[in-house]
Amino acid sequence: MKKLKKLRDYIKINNLDGYLVPKNDEYFSEYVNRSSDRLKFISNFSGSAGFAVILKNTNYLFVDGRYTVQAKIQSGNNFKIITIPKKFPKNVLKSKNKIKIGFDPKLHNEKQLNFFFNIKNIILKPINKNLIDIFWSKKPKTQVKPFFYLKKKDAGQSYKEKILKVKKILLKKKADYLFITAPENVAWILNIRGGDSEFSPIPNARLLINNKGEIYLFTQLQKINKIKKKLLKEINFIDENKIEKKLQNIRRKNIWIDNFSCSVYFKNLLSKKNKIIESNDPIYFLKSLKNRTEIKNM
């Protein structure tokens, strides 16, 4: 398979023994656009969950029980199919000599990596340039779909009220900032929705909110033209390509990040000059308490 050979060439160039390819994109969404589906590109596997470990001589595809048969049909010629939780990567790879596996830090969180690969003979090395993107020259084009806004009568609560709740939690936790990296939580707090997922109205965006209630929304600016006037003037709209610059300018602050949706890349970036509070995003709890309008709509 030519794609695997090309990937192995880049694995060798980067002085690695293997490379990790997840299903998810940088927003950790369950369903990804075709242009972000690197796992399907390299393995032909089209299920909604799984990841591949490509080594110099062997390829492994890890899936859960829903996809074992499908994975064997789609990828069995080039990959050994491993069903989780019968076996984990640390079970399969523990007998090998010390191996250095590269990964894209924007596509993984620390908790996930530790759970699957925390054994002595595996060294995980972040590679900031995605090795598949280097030679995936004919990526499908993704249509930019605008975000839309939910009125208070439909959401049951205004985004101003929600921001105030988060602000109080930050003050209680003695956190200067909350970095919201799960798109579904950005959707909840601002009462916005989008078309970035084929099966759910997810708006691919990240949000930075401080304990004074100042907000920075990071996304593709074309997506927010229709909702700008409906949101607070205090919200700063920043192109997602400039997020690193903004985060690098934050210093000596207590920054709350989410365990499951904040990537290794952003955690490392923020921890250089700040103190990190690593815990569940409080929005998961807040949005689990349904207001009367939400209950009625359900």
Side-chain angles (χ1 to χ4, degrees), residues 8 25 31 57 75 85 87 99 114 116 118 154 159 163 203 208 211 226-227 244 289 295:
R8 283 202 174 92
D25 60 10
Y31 299 104
N57 300 311
S75 313
K87 287 184 179 179
I99 50 176
N114 286 336
F116 285 123
N118 190 20
D154 298 314
Y159 69 89
I163 289 167
L208 187 67
N211 55 22
K226 291 184 178 181
I227 64 167
E244 287 89 352
L289 302 173
I295 292 170

Side-chain angles (χ1 to χ4, degrees), residues 116-245:
F116 285 123
F117 296 96
N118 190 20
I119 54 174
K120 290 180 180 179
N121 67 314
I122 295 180
I123 300 168
L124 293 175
K125 183 181 178 182
I127 308 293
N128 286 331
K129 178 66 177 176
N130 190 286
L131 298 190
I132 287 180
D133 289 352
I134 295 172
F135 64 91
W136 190 3
S137 56
K138 295 182 180 179
K139 274 192 175 191
K141 289 185 178 180
T142 302
Q143 185 182 354
V144 176
K145 297 179 181 178
F147 295 168
F148 58 96
Y149 179 74
L150 298 183
K151 295 178 180 178
K152 183 178 177 179
K153 70 179 182 67
D154 298 314
Q157 198 174 23
S158 73
Y159 69 89
K160 295 177 185 178
E161 293 171 296
K162 293 177 179 180
I163 289 167
L164 188 60
K165 285 184 177 182
V166 171
K167 181 181 170 183
K168 287 179 180 177
I169 292 172
L170 291 180
L171 290 169
K172 188 176 180 181
K173 190 89 170 180
K174 295 182 180 178
D176 298 299
Y177 286 93
L178 172 65
F179 185 38
I180 303 168
T181 41
E184 63 269 24
N185 291 354
V186 176
W188 179 85
I189 193 170
L190 292 183
N191 285 343
I192 61 174
R193 301 292 185 268
D196 290 316
S197 172
E198 193 174 348
F199 304 102
S200 184
I202 291 292
N204 277 353
R206 300 182 182 91
L207 200 72
L208 187 67
I209 178 170
N210 66 21
N211 55 22
K212 296 176 184 176
E214 295 172 336
I215 296 172
Y216 300 87
L217 178 67
F218 304 95
T219 189
Q220 287 178 273
L221 296 182
Q222 308 99 296
K223 295 178 181 179
I224 57 171
N225 290 333
K226 291 184 178 181
I227 64 167
K228 263 188 176 182
K229 294 179 181 178
K230 297 177 181 178
L231 295 173
L232 275 171
K233 292 180 181 178
E234 287 80 3
I235 294 180
N236 299 279
F237 301 101
I238 302 175
D239 189 279
E240 63 182 5
N241 293 325
K242 297 180 181 178
I243 187 170
E244 287 89 352
K245 186 177 180 181

Side-chain angles (χ1 to χ4, degrees), residues 103-117:
F103 70 97
D104 183 341
K106 291 183 178 180
L107 303 180
H108 301 272
N109 65 62
E110 206 170 71
K111 198 159 191 168
Q112 172 197 58
L113 291 176
N114 286 336
F115 180 78
F116 285 123
F117 296 96

